[in-house]
């Protein structure tokens, strides 16, 4: 099955919100505090769309994944306890979620590959991201894709593991 990655639009908010609600429930079932404080919510999705940062992973006309992509736009990353690998331009992604009925198909990794392609297409060779200390699934994805643990950052008073991947520049 082939997937494609595209900007989200307002008509897709209900589908995106369903996917995020499923992810919120999974995090809770895993015993995590991540996303258990009313974030993310439909207003966050709307804000992502307004900033042209909302992206969906589509498979056969169905939204199967979501994330927000921003370029050089994460103020909290300036306050890392640790050190980033680079200080160049970067893509940051947030709110990665895969539909419940699509889990186990490698779509999170596929989504991350689309994020890498997005960065390269924008001549950016650093991707930065963070996750909760108890999000073992995301940490495993980071490890398998060559992300490097750089320290911790804080969001809404909570420490998060910060990662960076430096992409190879094509010559």
């Amino acid at each position: 099955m082939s997937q494609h990655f595209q900007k989200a639009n307002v008509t897709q908010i209900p589908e995106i919100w369903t996917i995020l609600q499923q992810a919120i429930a999974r995090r809770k079932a895993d015993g995590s505090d991540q996303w258990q404080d009313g974030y993310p919510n439909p207003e966050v999705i709307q804000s992502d769309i307004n900033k042209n940062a909302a992206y969906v992973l589509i498979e056969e006309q169905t939204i199967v994944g979501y994330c927000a992509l921003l370029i050089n736009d994460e103020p909290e990353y300036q306050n890392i306890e640790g050190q980033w690998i680079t200080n160049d331009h970067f893509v940051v992604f947030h709110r990665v979620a895969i539909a419940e009925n699509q889990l186990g198909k490698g779509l999170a990794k596929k989504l991350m590959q689309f994020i890498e392609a997005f960065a390269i297409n924008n001549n950016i060779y650093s991707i930065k991201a963070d996750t909760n200390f108890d999000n073992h699934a995301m940490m495993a994805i980071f490890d398998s894709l060559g992300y490097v643990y750089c320290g911790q950052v804080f969001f809404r008073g909570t420490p998060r593991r910060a990662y960076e991947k430096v992409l190879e520049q094509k010559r």
Side-chain angles (χ1 to χ4, degrees):
M1 305 233 172
S2 70
Q3 301 88 21
H4 66 277
F5 191 62
Q6 67 185 41
K7 281 193 178 180
N9 63 61
V10 292
T11 65
Q12 296 168 320
I13 290 175
E15 289 173 89
I16 294 166
W17 177 230
T18 296
I19 291 170
L20 283 170
Q21 286 177 302
Q22 293 167 349
I24 290 166
R26 279 195 305 275
R27 298 302 299 132
K28 184 174 186 173
D30 289 345
S32 175
D33 291 332
Q34 184 177 8
W35 292 359
Q36 303 304 308
D37 60 356
Y39 167 95
N41 54 53
E43 292 76 25
V44 171
I45 302 165
Q46 179 70 58
S47 175
D48 289 344
I49 290 170
N50 293 348
K51 290 193 254 182
N52 289 315
Y55 286 82
V56 289
L57 182 63
I58 308 257
E59 184 174 271
E60 294 186 4
Q61 321 263 317
T62 301
I63 297 173
V64 296
Y66 177 77
C67 72
L69 295 180
L70 301 157
I71 296 175
N72 299 326
D73 187 12
E74 186 43 78
E76 298 303 325
Y77 284 5
Q78 295 174 14
N79 303 317
I80 188 171
E81 291 181 2
Q83 186 170 347
W84 296 112
I85 300 167
T86 69
N87 292 312
D88 296 330
H89 297 291
F90 64 93
V91 168
V92 58
F93 62 85
H94 291 299
R95 296 176 282 290
V96 170
I98 301 297
E100 188 79 27
N101 65 352
Q102 300 294 318
L103 296 175
K105 296 181 178 181
L107 292 178
K109 282 187 179 180
K110 187 73 164 176
L111 184 67
M112 305 279 277
Q113 291 167 347
F114 280 115
I115 292 168
E116 289 183 21
F118 171 88
I120 290 168
N121 288 339
N122 284 281
N123 296 312
I124 297 172
Y125 300 95
S126 167
I127 299 176
K128 295 179 181 178
D130 61 86
T131 194
N132 267 39
F133 277 80
D134 62 5
N135 192 337
H136 301 289
M138 195 70 198
M139 289 185 283
I141 290 170
F142 285 147
D143 289 344
S144 72
L145 294 177
Y147 282 74
V148 175
Y149 174 69
C150 295
Q152 66 181 12
V153 293
F154 291 82
F155 286 92
R156 298 181 313 283
T158 303
R160 316 232 331 147
R161 291 178 62 94
Y163 290 84
E164 182 175 7
K165 181 174 184 177
V166 178
L167 303 174
E168 190 175 319
Q169 295 187 36
K170 294 183 178 168
R171 306 225 181 268

